[in-house]
DNA sequence: GCGGATCAG
DNA sequence: ATGGCTGATCCGC
């Protein structure tokens, strides 16, 4: 295929990755060439720039390979690919969901706006928030000069010598964010906060209720003029210096009748509701927000950008309107498509969504399945309608940049400090993980990561450092006698047990106590799964415990291909609620329903005012399902920790396992429990060799790999064979550095033995390793629940049950539990709204940069409108695009 | 499981 | 004075 390389659209010879990114709002109509020239002059010659250059060349080579591949595609291949694309298109089209009203709200230049609000002298001046080395955001004055987020302050100063750089005040932003979120909650109590200044809401239900509201409930007071003092209450202060960035089309202006007294009445439409929301935000915080209203998250996000700042845009829920909107939309505007993906697609002649659609067949031949599926969905204007946070966290890390550091001892010291920090944060969340990763960036900005997976979970400073130190040592040894010249070091822990065998129970308890929704498998299944199914690995059994499995859902990763082959449509799988009921109402569902009903009774005014009150200070009261003691004034994390303790038995019997302690200590200290780690000697050599900045070889093995169709569907001729040739593995199990004691195990068999010791020990704790892992119940608990034990004792009423039939027994427990729950309901009605957005966690060293804020519903289980068969989490093309943490693509397409 | 890369905020 | 931090995911080994 021809697909001319449309060169770079960013301008002559500029690094596309360095040049000004005018994607952001406020960048229209400025002198790009001049700005780029300044940026280049300030950058040229720097180590950073050299590295960017190198990276860009790698991207270019990648594009080169892709183009070469494209050139070999035959007409026939293209045709059959087109057929495939058409088929999938039809399926996706059938599953198109237009019934939800999704809103994306984005505060305008958030940090900068807050600073301007609080320091009026900054209002009319170009300013940015951040530091000399990095800016977080800038105000609109500064943007005219090309000053933008993620730009170092010293460069910005060259663009705009008068720029004022204000330091970050995270505490303040968090506080403001909280105020805003209180408003969000009134439109969707389960809103999804993606960062301090951004959120998604599903306002469908709100809009229905809103229809029956009297005007009075849609009326909001304008702040009266007067004292400059800003109050938290909705009324008072001055309208004129209200907002640091007061734009003409502020919600007030376009709102319906605005009587002279200072009250504004809003209508019942989606637009009016959102205008009202923005109005209230501005009244409350003196800051403006922009919003997008659309049938799905992807579109809503794009829309919120459309009339920014201080504007909103809606795409009506009609297929044709959506398609019209999408046509000319530059793909770069789509969340998840970054500069690399943009460049790759651009080289195929694709810059708009219409072109993306048009070249679907080609893309299906050039990109991975997940990638082209993702592209196809974008081009159809599809996205997730499920405003829901992803599951639990998968990793935690801390890293720090510093002045060049070459001294090994100093590096070890720093490493330990990082481990200490990380450990503290881990313990705050009660997390333990198995994989320790060290990240190093040398003074040339080259980044390396080295990981080690242990056989048991760790969380303490010493444990983590034991692994990190050796990873670091391996790198130091590698370049010796030269020193490692570092500018950044980081430590990450992943492989949390939470997702494996510890959390499932926790999760079901949380879900149960909170909403009960996704845990629809019910108590019965719960018990039988945990104790009846013995022949599964911990991993499998944990999968079973996953809500997806319990609900009998095809899970989020149902592949489109399967749908294709079964002819199943999204519609069918995505709305289990509307179809025939798969399961009778489970215990959890029932409990949830009852709780909701109780809720209504206790607060009959709720739906009348439409105001869901946030009670951040409410003390929640849970009953531990293990010890049955009521746990008061704890938050959920604490509660979970308590339950964990109870489950592990350590609550009443502090660990005194005798020998096991020694064994564990030994393994961790002496790395005996580590898996044998392969260090890629050859690769490292390649890395080091690049001293002679030869661009070509730098791309490594990739360039030697005819990586043609390896990961694609069997389309091309090369498909089945996979790689054409295979490098002989030169990797040696470099038996790592000795442990701290200097007596590291060198003998693999001994490692294995040690490792095994751990495992059996762990299992041995529970007497029966078949069921020990996923539940971790106390021996007493295990005995009680063991189906082979004729004397089943109800864990609720403690009365022995005269049956060995688990079904019968479970039914009894259900009854007992629901009685308990009903009593609970009488006392603590609102367990279901536990998330307190205020408890943002702060970690690491000095925090100067925007961080995703994982609070709001990190553990907020939310089951409404589950879409079951939606396409898999979309994905980037081969090693190209990817997804942001909190703003991951799959949110848009699940 | 590892390591490099991309993306988001 | 001089180019960040956190988390997630994908791809190819």
């Amino acid at each position: 295929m021809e697909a001319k390389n449309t060169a770079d659209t960013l301008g002559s010879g500029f690094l596309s990755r360095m040049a000004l990114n005018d994607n952001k709002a406020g960048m229209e109509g400025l002198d790009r060439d001049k700005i780029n020239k300044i940026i280049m002059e300030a950058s040229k010659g720097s180590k950073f720039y050299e590295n960017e250059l190198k990276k860009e060349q790698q991207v270019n080579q990648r594009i080169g390979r892709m183009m070469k591949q494209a050139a070999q595609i035959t007409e026939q291949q293209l045709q059959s690919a087109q057929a495939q694309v058409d088929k999938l298109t039809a399926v996706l089209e059938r599953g198109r969901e237009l019934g939800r009203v999704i809103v994306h709200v984005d505060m305008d230049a958030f940090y900068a706006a807050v600073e301007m609000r609080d320091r009026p002298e900054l209002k009319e001046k170009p300013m940015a928030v951040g530091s000399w080395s990095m800016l977080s955001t800038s105000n609109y004055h500064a943007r005219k000069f090309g000053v933008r987020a993620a730009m170092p302050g010293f460069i910005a100063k060259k663009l705009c010598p008068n720029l004022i750089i204000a330091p970050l005040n995270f505490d303040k932003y968090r506080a403001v964010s909280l105020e805003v979120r209180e408003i969000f909650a009134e439109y969707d109590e389960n809103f999804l906060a993606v960062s301090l200044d951004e959120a998604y809401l599903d306002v469908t239900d709100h809009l229905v209720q809103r229809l029956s509201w009297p005007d009075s409930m849609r009326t909001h007071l304008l702040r009266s003029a007067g004292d400059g003092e800003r109050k938290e209450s909705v009324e008072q202060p001055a309208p004129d210096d209200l907002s640091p960035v007061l734009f003409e089309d502020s919600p007030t202006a376009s709102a319906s009748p605005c009587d002279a007294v200072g009250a504004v009445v809003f209508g019942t439409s989606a637009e009016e509701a959102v205008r009202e929301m923005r109005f209230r935000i501005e009244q409350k915080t003196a800051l403006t927000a922009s919003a997008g209203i659309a049938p799905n998250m992807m579109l809503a996000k794009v829309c919120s950008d459309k009339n920014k700042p201080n504007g909103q845009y809606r795409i009506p829920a009609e297929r044709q309107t959506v398609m019209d909107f999408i046509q000319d939309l530059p793909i770069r505007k789509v969340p998840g498509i970054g500069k690399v993906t943009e460049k790759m697609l651009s080289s195929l002649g694709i810059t708009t969504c219409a072109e993306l659609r048009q070249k679907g067949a080609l893309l299906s031949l050039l990109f991975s399945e997940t990638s082209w599926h993702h592209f196809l969905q974008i081009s159809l204007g599809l996205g997730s309608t499920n405003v829901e946070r992803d599951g639990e966290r998968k990793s935690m890390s801390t890293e720090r940049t510093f002045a060049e550091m070459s001294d090994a001892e100093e590096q070890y010291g720093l490493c330990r400090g990082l481990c200490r920090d990380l450990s503290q944060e881990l313990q705050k969340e009660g997390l333990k993980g198995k994989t320790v990763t060290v990240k190093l960036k040398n003074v040339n900005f080259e980044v390396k990561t080295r990981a080690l997976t242990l056989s048991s979970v760790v969380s303490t400073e010493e444990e983590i450092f034991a692994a990190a130190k050796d990873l670091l040592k391996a790198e130091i040894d590698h370049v010796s006698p030269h020193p490692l010249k570092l500018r950044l070091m980081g430590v990450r822990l992943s492989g949390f047990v939470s997702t494996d065998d510890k959390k499932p129970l926790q999760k079901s308890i949380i879900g149960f106590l909170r909403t009960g929704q996704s845990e629809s498998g019910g108590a019965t299944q719960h018990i039988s799964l945990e104790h009846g199914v013995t022949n599964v690995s911990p991993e499998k059994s944990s999968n079973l415990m996953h809500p997806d499995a319990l609900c009998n859902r095809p899970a989020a990763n149902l592949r489109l291909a399967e749908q294709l082959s079964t002819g199943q449509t999204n519609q069918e799988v995505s709305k289990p609620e509307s179809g025939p009921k798969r399961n009778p109402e489970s215990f959890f569902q029932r409990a949830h329903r009852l709780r909701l009903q109780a809720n209504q009774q206790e607060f009959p005014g709720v739906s009348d005012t439409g105001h869901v009150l946030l009670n951040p200070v409410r003390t929640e009261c849970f009953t531990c399902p293990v010890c049955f003691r009521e746990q008061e004034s704890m938050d959920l994390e604490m509660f979970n920790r308590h339950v964990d303790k109870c489950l592990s038995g350590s609550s009443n019997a502090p660990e005194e396992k005798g020998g096991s302690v020694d064994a564990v200590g030994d393994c961790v200290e002496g790395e005996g429990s580590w898996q044998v780690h392969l260090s890629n000697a050859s690769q490292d050599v390649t890395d080091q060799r690049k001293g002679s900045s030869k661009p070509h070889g730098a791309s490594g093995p990739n360039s030697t790999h005819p990586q043609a169709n390896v990961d694609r569907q069997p389309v091309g001729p090369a498909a089945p064979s996979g790689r054409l040739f295979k490098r002989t593995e030169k990797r040696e199990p470099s038996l790592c550095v000795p442990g701290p004691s200097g007596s590291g195990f060198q003998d693999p068999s001994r490692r294995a033995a040690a490792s095994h010791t751990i495992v059996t020990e762990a299992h041995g704790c529970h007497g029966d390793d078949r069921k020990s892992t996923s539940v971790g119940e106390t021996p007493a608990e295990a005995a009680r629940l063991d189906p082979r034990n004729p004397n089943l004792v109800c864990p609720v009423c403690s009365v022995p049950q005269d049956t060995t039939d688990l079904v019968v027994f479970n039914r009894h427990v259900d009854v007992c539990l629901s009685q308990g729950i009903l009593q609970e309901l009488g006392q603590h009605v609102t367990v279901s709204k536990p998330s307190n957005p205020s408890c943002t966690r702060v970690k690491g060293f000095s925090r100067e940069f925007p961080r995703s804020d994982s609070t709001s519903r990190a553990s907020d289980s939310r089951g409404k409108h589950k879409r079951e068969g939606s396409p898999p989490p979309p994905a980037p093309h081969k090693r190209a695009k990817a997804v942001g943490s909190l703003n991951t693509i799959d949110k848009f397409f699940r």
Side-chain angles (χ1 to χ4, degrees):
Chain A
M1 306 301 330
E2 25 65 61
K4 289 218 187 329
N5 191 335
T6 31
D8 75 51
T9 48
L10 290 162
S12 50
F14 272 18
L15 283 164
S16 62
R17 40 192 323 121
M18 300 267 320
L20 178 70
N21 176 1
D22 53 1
N23 192 29
K24 278 273 180 194
M27 292 292 188
E28 300 81 12
L30 30 70
D31 192 342
R32 265 173 31 188
D33 287 349
K34 192 173 156 198
I35 291 171
N36 281 333
K37 198 172 152 208
I38 297 176
I39 295 178
M40 286 301 282
E41 273 167 12
S43 301
K44 220 161 3 185
S46 70
K47 301 279 193 183
F48 178 82
Y49 174 82
E50 294 301 322
N51 191 252
E52 289 298 299
L53 195 61
K54 191 179 110 194
K55 287 198 277 187
E56 174 139 44
Q57 281 164 355
Q58 284 175 14
V59 171
N60 286 339
Q61 288 175 5
R62 223 171 108 191
I63 291 176
R65 292 194 298 270
M66 180 183 72
M67 298 301 283
K68 203 167 153 189
Q69 208 180 321
Q72 292 171 354
I73 292 174
T74 68
E75 192 57 38
Q76 202 173 12
Q77 287 173 321
L78 210 53
Q79 273 178 22
S80 85
Q82 186 63 54
Q84 174 123 356
V85 169
D86 291 344
K87 227 152 94 184
L88 178 54
T89 302
V91 172
L92 292 173
E93 195 58 65
R94 274 202 300 276
R96 187 188 290 271
E97 163 78 81
L98 292 168
R100 313 296 309 174
V101 182
I102 310 297
V103 177
H104 179 254
V105 188
D106 194 344
M107 300 295 292
D108 301 320
F110 187 47
Y111 302 160
V114 173
E115 296 303 333
M116 287 163 76
R117 179 192 75 179
D118 297 347
R119 295 169 57 185
E121 73 273 13
L122 295 178
K123 265 184 209 171
E124 299 308 321
K125 298 175 184 162
M127 62 88 64
V129 181
S131 69
W132 185 251
S133 47
M134 188 58 58
L135 302 181
S136 282
T137 189
S138 56
N139 71 3
Y140 282 76
H141 293 301
R143 290 187 195 186
K144 287 185 207 136
F145 294 86
V147 174
R148 61 186 207 272
M151 175 183 277
F154 68 90
I155 301 251
K157 272 285 194 184
K158 296 197 167 147
L159 289 171
C160 175
N162 292 327
L163 182 75
I164 298 173
I165 299 179
L168 284 150
N169 272 308
F170 258 107
D171 290 339
K172 202 156 75 175
Y173 312 144
R174 252 190 305 272
V176 178
S177 181
L178 226 100
E179 296 183 65
V180 176
R181 288 177 187 188
E182 283 176 0
I183 294 177
F184 290 158
E186 296 190 33
Y187 297 82
D188 176 7
E189 57 176 335
N190 296 314
F191 71 91
L192 168 60
V194 291
S195 63
L196 287 181
D197 72 325
E198 251 182 79
Y200 289 93
L201 292 76
D202 180 340
V203 298
T204 317
D205 298 342
H206 167 85
L207 291 177
V208 173
Q209 291 179 15
R210 192 179 175 86
L211 280 178
S212 56
W213 287 0
D215 277 6
S216 62
M217 287 175 58
R218 289 179 273 102
T219 302
H220 296 272
L221 293 183
L222 248 179
R223 265 189 203 160
S224 62
D227 55 312
E229 199 67 65
R230 209 181 51 82
K231 291 291 179 196
E232 292 220 343
S233 55
V234 186
E235 299 98 333
Q236 275 76 42
D240 274 344
D241 53 18
L242 237 187
S243 156
V245 266
L246 194 58
F247 302 94
E248 293 114 31
D249 62 338
S250 89
T252 323
S254 45
S256 330
C258 172
D259 67 24
V261 188
V264 188
V265 184
F266 293 88
T268 56
S269 67
E271 271 150 319
E272 282 294 296
V274 171
R275 238 192 294 278
E276 174 190 274
M277 179 164 43
R278 293 200 297 121
F279 172 81
R280 294 176 60 193
I281 290 173
E282 186 173 351
Q283 292 293 303
K284 188 175 187 178
T285 68
L287 302 169
T288 63
S290 298
I293 310 165
N296 64 53
M297 293 169 76
M298 185 272 287
L299 292 173
K301 166 91 177 163
V302 174
C303 285
S304 70
D305 195 52
K306 186 111 176 158
N307 283 331
K308 178 176 283 270
N310 199 13
Q312 62 183 65
Y313 186 88
R314 178 174 86 104
I315 302 179
E318 301 144 8
R319 183 187 172 281
Q320 194 52 53
T321 317
V322 169
M323 293 310 286
D324 291 347
F325 176 86
I326 278 293
Q327 292 312 298
D328 298 324
L329 184 70
I331 51 171
R332 185 63 167 90
K333 294 277 187 186
V334 177
I337 304 227
K339 46 188 165 194
V340 174
T341 309
E342 175 190 33
K343 190 171 178 181
M344 294 191 73
L345 291 175
S346 155
S347 68
L348 294 171
I350 300 170
T351 53
T352 68
C353 288
E355 290 157 349
L356 196 64
R357 173 89 189 272
Q358 190 198 336
K359 308 235 175 181
L362 176 62
L363 295 174
S364 77
L365 295 173
L366 293 176
F367 290 85
S368 71
E369 187 182 74
T370 35
S371 296
W372 73 261
H373 283 191
H374 177 214
F375 293 149
L376 186 57
Q377 298 189 65
I378 291 170
S379 72
L380 291 170
L382 298 172
S384 169
T385 56
N386 193 8
V387 180
E388 188 179 23
R389 172 168 283 282
D390 309 338
E392 304 134 22
R393 83 153 62 234
K394 297 181 176 55
S395 71
M396 185 185 281
S397 66
T398 186
E399 67 187 57
R400 178 199 260 169
T401 294
F402 38 79
E404 173 173 339
M405 184 187 292
S406 307
D407 179 64
E409 288 313 309
E410 209 180 341
Q411 289 165 353
Y412 285 121
L414 175 64
C415 183
R416 179 180 279 283
L418 291 167
C419 292
R420 181 177 307 135
D421 264 33
L422 180 59
S423 166
Q424 283 169 4
E425 294 306 317
L426 285 165
Q427 274 153 28
K428 279 185 199 162
E429 294 192 27
L431 291 169
K432 290 171 184 262
K434 291 197 304 188
T435 303
V436 176
T437 304
V438 167
K439 175 176 172 180
L440 304 172
K441 189 192 284 182
N442 67 17
V443 290
N444 292 322
F445 289 87
E446 294 161 331
V447 177
K448 240 185 227 184
T449 62
R450 292 293 178 260
L452 194 51
T453 297
L454 314 175
S455 65
S456 58
V457 293
V458 297
S459 69
T460 67
E461 172 191 339
E462 289 308 323
E463 292 166 334
I464 298 171
F465 183 60
K469 159 186 60 64
D470 287 342
L471 291 168
L472 176 58
K473 182 172 192 306
E475 293 308 308
I476 291 177
D477 289 351
H478 219 268
V479 294
S480 73
H482 302 298
L484 266 187
K485 297 160 104 177
L486 300 180
R487 80 178 332 268
L488 172 145
M489 189 185 299
V491 180
R492 177 168 73 242
L493 192 70
S494 54
F496 296 138
V497 276
S498 11
T499 53
D500 279 65
D501 38 10
K502 167 181 139 199
K503 228 24 181 302
L505 181 54
Q506 247 192 27
K507 200 172 169 187
S508 51
I509 290 169
I510 294 171
F512 159 50
L513 289 173
R514 284 184 160 169
T515 73
Q517 285 167 337
S518 29
E519 315 301 324
S520 52
T524 303
Q525 274 192 41
H526 179 91
I527 290 176
S528 63
L529 278 174
E530 290 296 320
H531 304 278
V533 182
T534 56
N535 242 350
V536 288
S537 68
E539 223 176 70
K540 285 277 173 52
S541 102
S542 75
N543 282 340
L544 287 175
M545 283 310 296
H546 189 276
D548 281 351
L550 288 181
C551 300
N552 217 359
R553 292 173 33 162
N557 58 0
L558 174 70
R559 317 194 108 230
L560 287 169
E562 290 170 19
Q563 292 182 47
L564 271 173
S565 62
T566 60
Q568 208 176 11
T569 70
N570 265 358
Q571 207 82 43
E572 286 160 358
V573 281
S574 68
K575 291 184 163 178
E577 307 91 344
S578 60
K581 278 220 181 278
R582 249 179 276 244
N583 302 314
E585 189 179 43
S586 73
F587 165 67
F588 291 117
Q589 289 169 327
R590 191 165 62 246
H592 178 55
R593 183 169 49 74
L594 291 173
R595 191 168 56 244
L596 287 182
Q597 285 169 6
N599 223 333
Q600 294 282 336
Q601 281 168 17
E602 173 135 312
F603 300 124
V606 162
S607 57
D608 287 331
T609 64
H611 287 219
V612 179
L613 296 175
L614 268 191
N615 276 331
V617 286
R618 177 191 302 284
T619 46
E620 292 157 3
C621 200
F622 299 145
T623 301
C624 171
V626 181
C627 70
F628 296 100
R629 277 192 284 265
E630 205 164 74
Q631 305 299 315
E632 288 202 28
S633 53
M634 301 171 97
D635 64 15
L636 257 182
E637 304 300 342
M638 289 179 66
F639 174 70
N640 285 331
R641 236 169 285 150
H642 166 87
V643 176
D644 271 357
K645 260 194 205 150
C646 268
L647 285 172
S648 68
S650 65
S651 139
N652 27 8
E655 40 268 87
E656 20 113 343
K657 285 282 161 203
S660 74
V661 171
D662 285 339
V664 171
D666 193 6
C667 281
V668 171
E669 275 299 314
E671 71 178 316
S673 63
W674 293 0
Q675 294 184 353
V676 177
H677 174 55
L678 303 180
S679 93
N680 350 6
S682 57
Q683 183 186 333
D684 289 347
V685 169
T686 309
D687 287 346
Q688 294 305 326
R689 174 197 57 175
K690 66 102 220 102
S692 61
S693 62
K694 282 244 171 98
H696 63 283
S699 77
N702 258 353
S703 47
T704 64
H705 276 294
Q707 51 127 34
N709 296 316
V710 203
D711 61 336
R712 293 208 325 270
Q713 294 302 324
V715 186
S721 61
R723 291 190 298 278
L724 294 184
F725 46 82
K726 193 173 177 172
R727 266 189 316 161
T728 39
E729 261 329 8
K730 283 192 182 162
R731 299 175 166 193
E732 299 274 325
S734 76
L735 293 193
C736 326
V737 274
S741 56
S743 64
F745 297 137
Q746 294 291 330
D747 177 357
S749 63
R750 199 170 156 206
R751 288 165 181 272
S755 175
H756 183 253
T757 305
I758 297 283
V759 174
T760 43
E761 194 55 51
H763 285 212
C765 289
H766 307 302
D768 181 345
D769 49 351
R770 286 187 303 175
K771 19 177 209 115
S772 60
T773 44
S774 26
V775 191
E777 75 276 13
T778 63
E781 192 75 0
R784 252 195 307 184
L785 298 173
D786 189 334
R788 292 164 303 187
N789 184 341
N791 236 353
L792 289 169
V793 180
C794 171
V796 180
C797 66
S798 302
V799 174
Q801 298 302 304
D802 190 19
T803 177
T804 54
D805 184 343
L806 264 183
V807 176
V808 175
F809 174 72
N810 282 332
R811 203 172 300 140
H812 165 86
V813 177
D814 268 7
V815 172
C816 260
L817 275 171
S818 38
Q819 279 168 1
I821 278 293
L822 287 176
Q823 283 170 7
E824 282 283 303
L825 287 178
Q827 303 161 9
H828 325 285
V829 191
T830 48
V831 195
S832 61
K833 182 65 194 169
S835 90
N836 177 357
S838 69
C839 50
T840 302
R841 86 167 214 290
V842 180
K843 39 176 295 193
F845 305 91
S846 66
R847 291 297 179 224
E848 297 198 332
F849 297 92
R851 241 162 310 141
S852 48
D853 170 80
S854 56
T855 50
S856 142
R857 47 163 83 183
S859 48
D860 199 353
S861 116
R862 160 193 176 114
K864 83 172 176 182
H865 319 306
K866 286 258 189 251
R867 303 277 172 263
E868 286 200 359
S870 312
H877 50 69
K878 298 176 203 207
R879 52 177 48 229
K881 153 186 55 192
V883 287
S885 57
L886 296 169
N887 198 11
T888 61
I889 296 185
D890 54 311
K891 278 211 208 70
F892 293 91
F893 296 96
R894 208 172 356 217

